[in-house]
């Protein structure tokens, strides 16, 4: 887990610039690696967004309202990027 955390921290500046979400209502969010799936699910549920069942424990694809990104940041998200850039979303595999 520490290696994953170190990799994410080292990639965060580049990813933050290159991977801004194209649609602020659909994002891929990276939670701290020590969080359990239940904790990530609780954060997502509290914000009122939906995460597909096939999301990993660490990266979730979520969608929500106009303040989604701000709410995820306030809840402790480490990184918020475009789902297509994160490899979580390709045309045709997202349904709402």
């Amino acid at each position: 887990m520490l290696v994953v955390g170190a990799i994410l921290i080292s990639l965060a500046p580049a990813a933050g610039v290159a991977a801004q979400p194209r649609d602020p209502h659909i994002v891929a969010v990276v939670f701290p690696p020590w969080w359990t799936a239940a904790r990530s699910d609780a954060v997502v549920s509290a914000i009122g967004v939906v995460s597909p069942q096939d999301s990993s424990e660490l990266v979730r694809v979520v969608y929500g309202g106009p303040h989604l990104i701000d709410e995820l940041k306030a809840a402790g998200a480490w990184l918020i990027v475009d789902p297509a850039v994160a490899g979580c979303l390709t045309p045709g595999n997202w349904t709402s």
Side-chain angles (χ1 to χ4, degrees), residues 25-51:
H25 300 96
I26 303 173
V27 299
V29 59
V30 178
F31 291 105
W34 57 86
W35 282 21
T36 63
R39 184 171 181 186
S40 298
D41 288 342
V43 167
V44 170
S45 296
I47 294 172
V49 296
V50 175
S51 177

Side-chain angles (χ1 to χ4, degrees), residues 13-91:
V17 171
Q20 291 295 318
R22 288 178 287 197
D23 182 346
H25 300 96
I26 303 173
V27 299
V29 59
V30 178
F31 291 105
W34 57 86
W35 282 21
T36 63
R39 184 171 181 186
S40 298
D41 288 342
V43 167
V44 170
S45 296
I47 294 172
V49 296
V50 175
S51 177
Q53 295 299 322
D54 62 351
S55 293
S56 74
E57 199 170 300
L58 185 62
V59 179
R60 303 293 171 110
V61 175
V62 296
Y63 72 94
H67 304 289
L68 175 63
I69 293 173
D70 293 333
E71 291 171 346
L72 287 168
K73 286 179 183 178
W78 269 16
L79 184 62
I80 300 169
V81 298
D82 189 272
V85 172
C88 300
L89 178 65
T90 58

